[in-house]
Amino acid sequence: MYIIAHRGSSSAAPENTIAAFDLAVQQGADYIELDVQLTMDQHVVVIHDDTVDRTTNGSGFVKSYTLDQLKKLDAGSWFDPQYTNERMPTLQEVLERYSQRIGILIEIKHPKRQIGIEQAVINIINQFAYSRHIMVQSFDESALQRIKAYAPSLRTALIIKPTPFKLAKRKLTAYRSFADCLNMKKTMINRRWIDRIHSFGMDVFTWTVKDQKTADWIKKYPVDGVVTDHPAFFLKEK
Ligand code: G3P
Ligand code: CA
């Protein structure tokens, strides 16, 4: 089971920063998960929200800033004053620093409001020799369909939330045409669904484990990856 550090090791360092990603590497996680958005000048930056308010000392939409302006923001002291010097990384910087050291799971946020983000992400990934350890995920099926069309060998994960549907054959057949993996909210995890998704040739990841009790519960299931703020909950047993 892959241990995937959610926004880096985000329980102990500011999310989506080099500090959080370095910590995940030190802890022995298998992947870092991160979120990407486009800047006003079409650079791909690593930040979860579409505004900078929660995780920097600035305010307003990411897309209203140029990369140079974003780089002036403090992306760490909201979490703890010791991280004052953290800056918002670009996807390019993250791949340069980590692509040979740890798996990277890139989530494309709000693709409908960020026209061209799929191609921008692919253009960056294509500069690196990627293997199964660079993946792209999204809640948005169309975004993943475009990713598969642009880069058929790049692995993809569709993130899914609880829905009334029963993972019907028609749905799973459609999903596997553009997704190598289903990343299911933890409340959806059960043995029957895991087996069914595996029988369609897709992996199963689950998100997001934030406490030891849930970690211990998830360990009983044959999932292929777990997204967690606390890699240490799982790595003790490696
Ligand atoms: O890996 C899935 C998870 O990252 C989705 O939720 O809001 O943390 O991006 P969020
Ligand atoms: Ca995410």
Side-chain angles (χ1 to χ4, degrees), residues 48-65:
H48 180 272
D49 301 355
D50 60 357
T51 63
V52 299
D53 300 52
R54 183 177 61 86
T55 57
T56 77
N57 61 342
S59 68
F61 286 100
V62 176
K63 67 182 178 193
S64 69
Y65 283 83

Side-chain angles (χ1 to χ4, degrees), residues 12 35 51 61 76 78 102 110 115 132 163 174 180 212 227 234:
D35 310 282
T51 63
F61 286 100
W78 67 274
I102 191 168
H110 317 300
I115 303 305
R132 64 181 286 119
T163 54
D180 301 285
Q212 185 74 62
V227 180
F234 295 88

Side-chain angles (χ1 to χ4, degrees), residues 6-7 33-35 48 107 109 137 159:
H6 180 233
R7 311 180 195 172
E33 189 265 358
L34 55 87
D35 310 282
H48 180 272
E107 180 177 350
K109 283 293 187 198
Q137 67 170 358
I159 312 171

Side-chain angles (χ1 to χ4, degrees), residues 38-138:
L38 281 179
T39 67
M40 185 163 75
D41 47 352
Q42 302 294 298
H43 290 277
V44 180
V45 284
V46 178
I47 181 170
H48 180 272
D49 301 355
D50 60 357
T51 63
V52 299
D53 300 52
R54 183 177 61 86
T55 57
T56 77
N57 61 342
S59 68
F61 286 100
V62 176
K63 67 182 178 193
S64 69
Y65 283 83
T66 64
L67 178 60
D68 282 351
Q69 290 167 336
L70 288 172
K71 282 290 187 186
K72 294 188 173 71
L73 300 179
D74 167 357
S77 60
W78 67 274
F79 185 86
D80 189 287
Q82 69 171 296
Y83 295 108
T84 305
N85 293 325
E86 288 300 320
R87 291 292 173 265
M88 190 184 302
T90 62
L91 180 61
Q92 175 90 26
E93 288 164 348
V94 170
L95 288 173
E96 282 170 5
R97 188 175 175 96
Y98 300 105
S99 66
Q100 299 300 315
R101 298 164 72 194
I102 191 168
I104 302 171
L105 176 60
I106 301 161
E107 180 177 350
I108 297 185
K109 283 293 187 198
H110 317 300
K112 291 194 171 52
R113 301 205 296 269
Q114 308 205 77
I115 303 305
I117 191 167
E118 300 91 344
Q119 187 67 65
V121 166
I122 294 293
N123 289 346
I124 296 166
I125 293 176
N126 277 344
Q127 298 166 35
F128 298 84
Y130 62 82
S131 61
R132 64 181 286 119
H133 294 304
I134 294 181
M135 294 182 68
V136 173
Q137 67 170 358
S138 183

